Amino acid sequence: GLTGEDVPDVCANADEASSMKANPVALPEDKLRAILRHDLGIPPLGTYGLTGEDVPDVCANAAAASSMKANPVALPEDELRAILRAAL
């Protein structure tokens, strides 16, 4: 299965994070990852033991949660999985 090592950090240090955020052609998710990991110090979810093997179960449980049912924008499970994998 997919692990946190399969989703590389987009920036190795603060200088690279600053460059990523200023890059007009960088993907929004890469910019967000740079902000979360380097500006705010939030580690990837793999740090807490979440693995790619956990993604299907976590997403299925999230999709069934009452808070998701009240969300005005329904996210398909494949989008939930992609979001979670990017956060590993």
Side-chain angles (χ1 to χ4, degrees), residues 23-34:
N23 183 344
V25 296
L27 296 173
E29 56 267 29
D30 289 340
K31 289 183 180 191
L32 179 59
R33 193 175 298 134

Side-chain angles (χ1 to χ4, degrees), residues 27-42:
L27 296 173
E29 56 267 29
D30 289 340
K31 289 183 180 191
L32 179 59
R33 193 175 298 134
I35 291 168
L36 291 174
R37 293 190 184 170
H38 295 283
D39 293 359
L40 301 176
I42 299 172

Side-chain angles (χ1 to χ4, degrees), residues 28-80:
E29 56 267 29
D30 289 340
K31 289 183 180 191
L32 179 59
R33 193 175 298 134
I35 291 168
L36 291 174
R37 293 190 184 170
H38 295 283
D39 293 359
L40 301 176
I42 299 172
L45 294 176
T47 303
Y48 303 104
L50 194 69
T51 69
E53 293 176 5
D54 299 318
V55 170
D57 288 338
V58 170
C59 290
N61 289 335
S66 61
S67 60
M68 289 289 277
K69 292 178 181 175
N71 192 338
V73 178
L75 291 174
E77 195 164 325
D78 62 326
E79 287 186 38
L80 289 173

